[in-house]
């Protein structure tokens, strides 16, 4: 049984049919990436998984359990946490307070503190700035806060939406190294990323979305070699 399974998902924004029968699965321990052009449905897929959007048709299952009746905050309790596009930090709160917000669903104080230390180990820069107001941090540091906040929920699967957006190349390398480290420590990851080459470089498998439909799925290595993917998403003619 897959850790996460989407079956025939149809999601709408009003009358706009955004996802048109998407089916995918993610096994425990994998990094899976969704690639596609702007408007393909990548973020909508993540928002549907996290419960922020409810599909009109189809099922989202975590460990075989249908999540249809759960609200978005209850989906977090179940083990799905999301790093949103644009980071979305609480600008007026400190780094530590932002991280504590990620653990709002938990009451195990000792484990929460252990998770805090884990985040500070992953992101030493955040430990240095733990009392600094998040709105005054750089874009890269805010991405670290957003990722750390999601990890504070101790998720079984982490959804990441465009983690490299707006970052300098050296910080992109750092963020992707940390994504791999998080995965090696046991967290399954579903990654949406415009930088398809970087995403396929760390993923096990990938799905290609086009206008709300999956048009291709394969191992990351095979997708990198696929002529259509190379031309459309990797800038290789």
């Amino acid at each position: 049984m897959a850790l996460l399974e989407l079956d025939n998902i149809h999601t709408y924004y009003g009358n706009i049919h955004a996802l048109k029968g998407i089916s995918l699965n993610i096994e425990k321990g994998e990094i899976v990436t969704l690639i596609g052009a702007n408007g393909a449905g990548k973020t909508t897929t993540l928002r549907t998984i996290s419960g922020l959007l409810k599909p009109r048709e189809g099922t989202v299952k975590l460990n075989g359990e249908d999540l249809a009746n759960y609200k978005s905050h209850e989906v977090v309790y179940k083990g799905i946490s999301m790093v949103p596009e644009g980071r979305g930090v609480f600008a007026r709160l400190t780094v530590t307070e932002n991280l504590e917000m990620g653990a709002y669903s938990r009451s195990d104080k000792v484990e929460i503190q252990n998770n805090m230390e884990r985040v500070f180990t992953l992101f030493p820069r955040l430990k240095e700035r733990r009392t600094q107001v998040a709105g005054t941090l750089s874009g890269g540091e805010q991405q670290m806060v957003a990722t750390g906040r999601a990890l504070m929920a101790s998720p079984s699967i982490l959804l990441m939406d465009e983690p490299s957006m707006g970052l300098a190349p050296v910080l992109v390398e750092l963020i992707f190294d940390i994504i791999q480290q998080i995965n090696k420590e046991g967290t399954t990851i579903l990654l949406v990323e415009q930088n398809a080459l970087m995403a396929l470089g760390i993923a096990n498998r990938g799905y290609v979305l086009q206008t709300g439909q999956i048009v291709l799925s394969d191992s990351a290595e095979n997708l990198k070699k696929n002529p259509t993917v190379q031309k459309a998403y990797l800038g290789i003619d």
Side-chain angles (χ1 to χ4, degrees), residues 151-187:
L151 290 173
M152 288 297 293
S154 195
S156 54
I157 182 164
L158 183 65
L159 313 179
M160 303 194 73
D161 195 358
E162 303 288 4
S164 77
M165 182 179 286
L167 300 186
V170 64
L171 286 176
V172 173
E173 294 276 358
L174 174 62
I175 290 295
F176 273 80
D177 285 346
I178 288 168
I179 291 171
Q180 290 178 283
Q181 189 173 341
I182 291 167
N183 177 250
K184 286 175 183 174
E185 292 177 0
T187 304

Side-chain angles (χ1 to χ4, degrees), residues 125-164:
R125 199 174 304 185
L126 295 188
K127 188 170 186 177
E128 296 170 5
R129 290 161 170 73
R130 58 188 179 274
T131 60
Q132 189 170 332
V133 174
T136 64
L137 299 173
S138 70
E141 290 163 348
Q142 289 188 17
Q143 184 63 54
M144 295 174 194
V145 171
T147 304
R149 182 182 61 198
L151 290 173
M152 288 297 293
S154 195
S156 54
I157 182 164
L158 183 65
L159 313 179
M160 303 194 73
D161 195 358
E162 303 288 4
S164 77

Side-chain angles (χ1 to χ4, degrees), residues 5-12 17 19-25 48 54-61 212-214:
E5 186 177 3
L6 276 64
D7 182 35
N8 192 35
I9 291 292
H10 291 261
T11 300
Y12 289 73
H17 197 175
L19 298 183
K20 305 168 184 175
I22 281 183
S23 296
L24 59 83
N25 62 80
T48 301
K54 293 295 184 184
R56 292 191 191 176
E57 187 179 337
T59 57
V60 178
K61 291 182 179 180
Q213 296 177 300
I214 292 172

